[in-house]
Amino acid sequence: MKLDANIPPGPLAEKWQQHCFSSRLITPANKRKYTIIVVGSGLAGASAAASLAELGYKVNCFTMHDSPRRAHSIAAQGGINAAKNYQNDGDSVYRLFYDTIKGGDFRAREANVYRLAQLSNNIIDQCVAQGVPFAREYGGQLANRSFGGAQVSRTFYARGQTGQQLLLGAYSSLARQIKRGRVTMLARREMLDLVVEEGRATGIVVRNLITGELESHAGHAVVLATGGYGNVFYLSTNAMGSNVTAAFRAYKRGACFANPCFVQIHPTCIPVHGDYQSKLTLMSESLRNDGRVWVPATPGDKRPPHQIPEAERHYYLEEKYPSFGNLVPRDVASRNAKEQCDRGKGVGATGLAVYLDFSEAIRRDGSETITRKYGNLFQMYEKITASDPMATPMMIYPAVHYTMGGLWVDYNLMSTIPGLFVLGEANFSDHGANRLGASALMQGLADGYFVVPATIAHYLAQCPRQPLSTASDAFVAAQREAEGFIRRLVALKGRRSVDDFHKELGRLLWDHCGMARNQQGLEKALARIPEIRAEFWENALVSGSGAEFNQTLEKAGRVADYLEFAELMVHDALARRESCGCHLREESQTAEHEALRDDARYSHVAAWQYQGEAEPLLHKEPLAFADVEVSSRSYK
Amino acid sequence: MSAEKINLTLKVWRQKNSEAAGALATYTLRDISTDMSFLEMLDVLNEQLLLTGEEPVAFDHDCREGICGMCGAVVNGRPHGPERETTLCQLHMRHFKSGDTLVIEPFRARAFRVVRDLVVDRTAFDAIIQAGGYVSVNVGGAPDANALPISQKNAEQAMDAAACIGCGACVAACPNAAAMLFVSGKVSQLALLPQGHPERRERALNMVKAMDGQGFGNCTNERECEAACPKAISIRHIARLNREYLKAALSGD
Ligand SMILES: Cc1cc2nc3c(=O)[nH]c(=O)nc-3n(C[C@H](O)[C@H](O)[C@H](O)COP(=O)(O)OP(=O)(O)OC[C@H]3O[C@@H](n4cnc5c(N)ncnc54)[C@H](O)[C@@H]3O)c2cc1C
Ligand code: FES
């Protein structure tokens, strides 16, 4: 297989426009003859489904949730980037592009990222037109804040609920199309397989989560927007249901999986506090605008924070990175927190936490301003920890948050299976080895509102329009396989809960494929994962049957996929013997513990192809940089 | 954070599916850490049930941080439990004492069918939004975002109204199972913003009509919805909805 990214020719700034111009179109009258399946209704899926329906396509949209409004995008707090330069602080499309490429440690495609920066401005316009209540200045203009990895203020926000408001905007556009009969919404359906006929994606198999029935659905193209796989670690900031199932089944049907080991570990999360813990809560990166990160200067200092005098505090980020200070990118902030804790300077009961302190900002701006900016986040923190950040510094620690890896897609967002498009966090496209804050929302909406509506026509126009049917052998076989999978799961009547397996897998990955990785640890994980999987298939305990609403069964299916997928992640981490962005190979670091890239050997996207029982096959898409100078990333 | 361990008696609504009859079942839980969230406590119960060969309690949840609106149950008569402005997933066990008995039931309303145990069907809310909870604008051609200044006050009030998470606690709390607070959030948000003005009239009429059609009750100013709302959505928005509706009805063509 040869990976062709299909990057259009021409100067970087003109590629997208030229590409749209030279792509084939479908007339409005013909569009309604096409049915498009959209799986997922988060920011990426809902925006795609609504936009495709507006264009005239018939859309069938699926979500495992009871409503599109529940998708995990709802939880995004901090904001969304755009190169509007409303602050007149020197921002531009090029700067947003450059920051994103550099933030991703030069492991993303130039052409995709440039397009993203260009479209960022249209997104804000669109969202405002929908009635998204972004924060405003006194004069009525839109307000901005800063996020890590940038020296300009380009992040638009709606209090600490930006994801919610953007998703509700996309959801409202989707609702309008549902009402008009252009979108059929199929909720509480979980995708269990992709159907491929004559090399093209032509449909999906889903399980109706209420009745347990399996259903096959055919379409002229399939759009996957099923989110990220951070929950493979069990504990993460993702919602409980976030899964790799849909993407992984597509991988098993031939879609390459790119950079699976690129997982973002977010520096500011509420630390773990007990074994029963089911998830970790993010404290938005926007807090680093005003919060100062510190630890006691002396290892083992157990005094409460207010008893530690200024001179005995170590503001390690400000000291080490004077130009970006507390706003270094996430991977850098996370790694430094771990390093301080490894040196015994961690705080709190477990020693696995650092302080995020607002006292100076409160003194400077007054408590009213700080409450207005962060009130709801502080409230959330207080609910969980019973401690008030206005009075005592927050305690934070890194946690798994976002997956830069995902299904490989070309410039058109099409995977290696023709007719299968992948959007949002489920693809690998724009963030390289580290995503900058406030750019996932931007990417999901760019993909859904603007990119796929333009690129899908070119695909559809090229292939003959077949009548839709789910009677073919491929559909029958896929549905039968899904049935077999469910049957095998409900037959599991062992002695260990599915959660228990998931926790063990998560701990293994956190230890060996988390913030720091090395050959030995990765090999250990690679040996252990198949053992956990084997035990799962013997000793897991799944209650109830397949023919009913059964949450234990749902969970079991997702964990079964994670148990296979984890191995792919570790393979990828092993093969990339360099450090870049989130991926720190201990064998490859500078004297100051910064990631040391090896551009000569690893300036590529690693795309893995499924090989059945055999080891997956690695394909490399070389990355070429013509418009930026590839430098070693410095935030000092 | 000094966690204690408490013992609890739970009486949980068990109902196999929409058609089956339901009843409360009693369970005892020991050594629950007060640092746990309410849903983590239910996780512990479910693990216990599973390992003793009983079916776990079905309950909806996803984000576990108070924003997706999936979770929710009536705890000792109060939707989302005893703490104000707190969803069930954000409620922590430190608000309970050892020896407490907790009665846990689904959000009940004619428009919310029980799917299983504590899981209810809230798609009636989606139907209401589909009736008009949007601005009819297609992608493409939107003017520059700053071309339309909006006063900070209006933007903030619109955000207050838009904070609704669609959990349904307002309906469960209302003696009439009305959905006025839910509907008013959306109508109010779009009435406060100029983008919403062209369709203001139809929106109010159509959303109220859809609400009635879905089987929600009438508002008789009980104010229980406001007290139960985990996002503190004010009944002032209901007043605005009533104004919008009246204006629309009076200007009928
Ligand atoms: C706590 C938190 C805060 C964040 N804050 C920010 C921020 O401030 N700024 C920013 O830019 N990014 C932020 N992010 C990242 C960002 O929110 C996500 O990357 C983005 O929203 C993902 O959108 P999506 O549409 O790709 O996927 P999702 O929103 O996760 O949607 C996935 C959809 O797929 C469906 N689905 C999944 N699997 C299946 C299946 N097997 N079958 C059927 N349907 C399925 C789901 O039901 C859902 O509808 C944050 C993330 C988290 C976790
Ligand atoms: S689980 Fe999302 S609001 Fe409670």
Side-chain angles (χ1 to χ4, degrees):
Chain A
M1 181 191 301
K2 185 167 164 348
L3 295 173
D4 184 353
N6 284 311
I7 296 168
L12 190 62
E14 289 161 31
K15 281 180 193 293
W16 176 237
Q17 217 180 355
Q18 277 299 327
H19 186 61
C20 290
F21 178 71
S22 59
S23 294
R24 294 180 57 178
L25 298 176
I26 295 179
T27 62
N30 277 335
K31 285 203 186 88
R32 68 178 94 91
K33 298 179 188 155
Y34 288 95
T35 297
I36 296 168
I37 288 177
V38 177
V39 191
S41 51
L43 279 180
S47 58
S51 310
L52 290 167
E54 286 167 11
L55 287 170
Y57 296 107
K58 202 174 153 337
V59 177
N60 293 335
C61 184
F62 297 81
T63 166
M64 66 185 191
H65 289 106
D66 64 331
S67 159
R69 68 180 296 151
R70 312 284 186 213
H72 187 50
S73 295
I74 202 95
Q77 302 169 353
I80 176 167
N81 287 330
K84 286 283 194 185
N85 193 31
Y86 284 159
Q87 307 305 323
N88 193 29
D89 57 0
D91 203 6
S92 61
V93 167
Y94 187 86
R95 189 179 290 280
L96 174 54
F97 153 73
Y98 179 77
D99 286 348
T100 309
I101 282 274
K102 175 185 168 195
D105 217 357
F106 303 93
R107 291 293 174 265
R109 247 183 235 148
E110 266 188 346
N112 284 57
V113 178
Y114 196 85
R115 172 178 67 190
L116 177 64
Q118 285 175 307
L119 292 173
S120 67
N121 291 338
N122 306 66
I123 295 172
I124 302 302
D125 298 342
Q126 180 62 28
C127 295
V128 167
Q130 286 169 342
V132 169
F134 282 120
R136 303 258 165 183
E137 303 292 355
Y138 284 114
Q141 309 295 309
L142 289 156
N144 289 119
R145 52 167 60 138
S146 310
F147 258 56
Q151 289 170 306
V152 294
S153 244
R154 60 159 77 100
T155 305
F156 295 77
Y157 62 99
R159 289 194 195 143
Q161 290 124 278
T162 316
Q164 179 197 28
Q165 294 310 314
L166 295 176
L167 182 63
L168 293 180
Y171 162 76
S172 70
S173 292
L174 180 62
R176 174 170 162 246
Q177 296 304 321
I178 296 170
K179 183 70 180 173
R180 302 171 92 194
R182 304 244 176 97
V183 175
T184 306
M185 191 69 220
L186 294 122
R188 293 224 201 239
R189 304 290 203 292
E190 179 159 23
M191 170 172 159
L192 291 183
D193 210 348
L194 177 78
V195 180
V196 181
E197 292 172 287
E198 292 168 17
R200 293 177 185 278
T202 54
I204 57 171
V205 177
V206 299
R207 180 165 178 269
N208 178 327
L209 298 181
I210 294 192
T211 62
E213 270 165 287
L214 293 181
E215 305 165 1
S216 290
H217 296 267
H220 295 102
V222 177
V223 176
L224 277 198
T226 47
Y229 52 83
N231 270 357
V232 65
F233 287 85
Y234 186 74
L235 284 181
S236 83
T237 62
N238 291 6
M240 303 299 288
S242 300
N243 64 85
V244 77
T245 293
F248 195 65
R249 302 301 169 88
Y251 162 73
K252 283 185 152 183
R253 293 283 174 198
C256 283
F257 210 110
N259 302 335
C261 82
F262 286 173
V263 175
Q264 175 162 82
I265 298 186
H266 196 295
T268 52
C269 303
I270 300 180
V272 176
H273 52 75
D275 294 338
Y276 47 81
Q277 191 145 0
S278 58
K279 78 155 285 174
L280 295 171
T281 303
L282 174 75
M283 287 287 108
S284 167
E285 175 159 311
S286 59
L287 294 170
R288 286 197 275 143
N289 271 294
D290 288 298
R292 298 178 69 197
V293 176
W294 64 275
V295 289
T298 326
D301 186 343
K302 288 288 164 208
R303 284 176 292 174
H306 62 272
Q307 285 179 15
I308 303 182
E310 205 49 39
E312 293 171 46
R313 299 174 175 194
H314 185 195
Y315 294 90
Y316 56 90
L317 290 178
E318 294 172 19
E319 210 172 283
K320 207 164 154 191
Y321 307 97
S323 63
F324 282 71
N326 292 298
L327 281 174
V328 290
R330 292 173 176 177
D331 54 338
V332 178
S334 290
R335 223 145 36 226
N336 277 281
K338 177 175 186 296
E339 198 183 326
Q340 296 301 328
C341 294
D342 288 350
R343 289 187 189 161
K345 295 195 199 174
V347 298
T350 57
L352 290 177
V354 300
Y355 290 124
L356 182 63
D357 192 338
F358 296 90
S359 51
E360 191 186 288
I362 294 169
R363 268 196 306 276
R364 188 186 60 224
D365 301 339
S367 47
E368 202 180 309
T369 307
I370 298 300
T371 309
R372 194 176 69 236
K373 278 182 163 166
Y374 309 115
N376 66 326
L377 295 171
F378 286 4
Q379 209 186 9
M380 179 140 90
Y381 182 84
E382 191 173 353
K383 271 181 192 153
I384 295 173
T385 64
S387 142
D388 174 11
M390 295 295 280
T392 340
M394 272 186 178
M395 281 196 271
I396 51 162
Y397 197 66
V400 172
H401 177 58
Y402 179 88
T403 52
M404 281 76 68
L407 291 175
W408 185 89
V409 288
D410 67 4
Y411 188 74
N412 296 313
L413 302 184
M414 191 157 88
S415 71
T416 52
I417 302 176
L420 176 68
F421 292 78
V422 190
L423 321 184
E425 193 171 338
N427 74 23
F428 88 105
S429 68
D430 296 349
H431 309 293
N434 172 60
R435 175 175 72 78
L436 290 186
S439 57
L441 302 182
M442 167 173 78
Q443 181 227 330
L445 290 180
D447 289 359
Y449 282 136
F450 299 104
V451 182
V452 93
T455 58
I456 209 164
H458 189 70
Y459 166 76
L460 294 171
Q462 274 175 345
C463 50
R465 183 163 38 81
Q466 309 283 0
L468 294 180
S469 154
T470 55
S472 68
D473 293 348
F475 270 101
V476 173
Q479 185 161 330
R480 198 170 300 137
E481 274 177 50
E483 264 159 27
F485 180 69
I486 300 288
R487 207 176 315 116
R488 282 209 300 151
L489 287 171
V490 289
L492 291 172
K493 298 290 178 233
R495 285 188 310 271
R496 241 180 111 182
S497 71
V498 167
D499 274 343
D500 207 39
F501 284 99
H502 196 176
K503 282 183 196 173
E504 185 182 354
L505 176 70
R507 223 171 298 127
L508 183 75
L509 290 175
W510 179 249
D511 287 345
H512 300 300
C513 199
M515 270 190 282
R517 301 151 177 199
N518 61 50
Q519 175 103 15
Q520 204 191 358
L522 289 167
E523 280 171 353
K524 199 167 145 196
L526 200 57
R528 182 66 193 137
I529 295 164
E531 293 169 4
I532 305 177
R533 190 167 63 226
E535 197 198 328
F536 174 89
W537 284 107
E538 294 208 331
N539 198 21
L541 174 50
V542 177
S543 65
S545 79
E548 60 184 333
F549 186 84
N550 185 343
Q551 291 173 318
T552 319
L553 171 63
E554 290 169 31
K555 202 161 18 176
R558 292 169 199 155
V559 172
D561 285 336
Y562 277 141
L563 283 166
E564 287 185 43
F565 172 73
E567 223 174 300
L568 183 66
M569 256 176 83
V570 177
H571 272 299
D572 187 42
L574 263 173
R576 192 173 282 277
R577 301 164 70 102
E578 65 159 350
S579 297
C580 58
C582 69
H583 174 65
L584 184 86
R585 280 291 298 258
E586 285 173 345
E587 300 91 335
S588 177
Q589 49 184 331
T590 66
E592 288 158 314
H593 303 291
E594 303 288 351
L596 187 62
R597 285 198 330 258
D598 179 351
D599 292 330
R601 290 194 299 162
Y602 296 100
S603 185
H604 62 245
V605 177
W608 298 87
Q609 188 184 4
Y610 183 64
Q611 300 289 307
E613 294 289 295
E615 282 197 7
L617 187 62
L618 174 60
H619 301 274
K620 296 175 185 172
E621 179 202 331
L623 291 168
F625 297 90
D627 287 75
V628 294
E629 196 188 328
V630 180
S631 57
S632 81
R633 200 171 59 139
S634 165
Y635 291 93
K636 296 198 179 281
Chain B
M1 275 207 275
S2 59
E4 286 172 46
K5 304 271 186 201
I6 56 174
N7 301 330
L8 298 168
T9 303
L10 305 184
K11 292 182 185 291
V12 186
W13 185 260
R14 304 303 311 256
Q15 180 175 340
K16 204 150 170 60
N17 54 48
S18 307
E19 282 73 45
L24 288 170
T26 306
Y27 307 106
T28 47
L29 278 183
R30 305 194 64 79
D31 292 335
I32 293 296
S33 161
T34 49
D35 271 350
M36 276 186 203
S37 70
F38 196 91
L39 299 189
E40 284 166 347
M41 181 275 291
L42 290 182
D43 290 342
V44 172
L45 168 69
N46 276 348
E47 179 99 3
Q48 184 177 308
L49 292 176
L50 189 71
L51 295 175
T52 52
E54 280 189 68
E55 299 249 338
V57 177
F59 63 95
D60 261 336
H61 64 101
D62 200 27
C63 72
R64 294 203 174 190
E65 48 189 69
I67 192 76
C68 75
M70 280 287 267
C71 70
V74 175
V75 180
N76 290 349
R78 304 182 61 171
H80 291 301
E83 283 295 293
R84 281 188 81 87
E85 295 180 38
T86 304
T87 55
L88 198 61
C89 59
Q90 287 195 302
L91 176 64
H92 280 71
M93 297 313 290
R94 63 182 76 97
H95 299 292
F96 299 96
K97 294 188 311 294
S98 205
D100 279 356
T101 297
L102 309 183
V103 181
I104 309 171
E105 296 166 277
F107 282 176
R108 293 185 195 281
R110 186 149 70 95
F112 292 168
R113 189 173 48 98
V114 172
V115 172
R116 181 168 188 147
D117 300 338
L118 305 175
V119 176
V120 296
D121 178 0
R122 286 168 288 194
T123 45
F125 274 0
D126 292 312
I128 295 174
I129 298 293
Q130 285 158 22
Y134 42 76
V135 174
S136 295
V137 51
N138 281 1
V139 174
D144 183 82
N146 253 352
L148 189 68
I150 296 172
S151 77
Q152 194 182 58
K153 184 166 152 259
N154 274 27
E156 291 293 313
Q157 283 184 4
M159 182 60 222
D160 289 341
C164 169
I165 59 173
C167 64
C170 48
V171 176
C174 176
N176 311 321
M180 284 292 272
L181 195 64
F182 172 77
V183 178
S184 74
K186 194 42 82 186
V187 168
S188 201
Q189 175 199 347
L190 295 176
L192 282 157
L193 298 172
Q195 298 92 313
H197 287 184
E199 297 166 286
R200 196 165 180 172
R201 187 179 164 271
E202 297 78 8
R203 179 175 305 115
L205 294 176
N206 291 340
M207 287 181 74
V208 167
K209 191 170 152 206
M211 173 179 82
D212 294 341
Q214 291 293 327
F216 291 103
N218 290 324
C219 175
T220 48
N221 290 317
E222 309 287 334
R223 311 184 67 153
E224 295 291 342
C225 53
E226 185 185 57
C229 176
K231 297 294 140 179
I233 303 214
S234 156
I235 53 163
R236 277 198 311 256
H237 298 294
I238 297 187
R240 187 174 287 107
L241 166 62
N242 286 333
R243 281 200 301 277
E244 292 287 311
Y245 184 79
L246 264 179
K247 253 196 292 185
L250 292 175
S251 74
D253 16 291

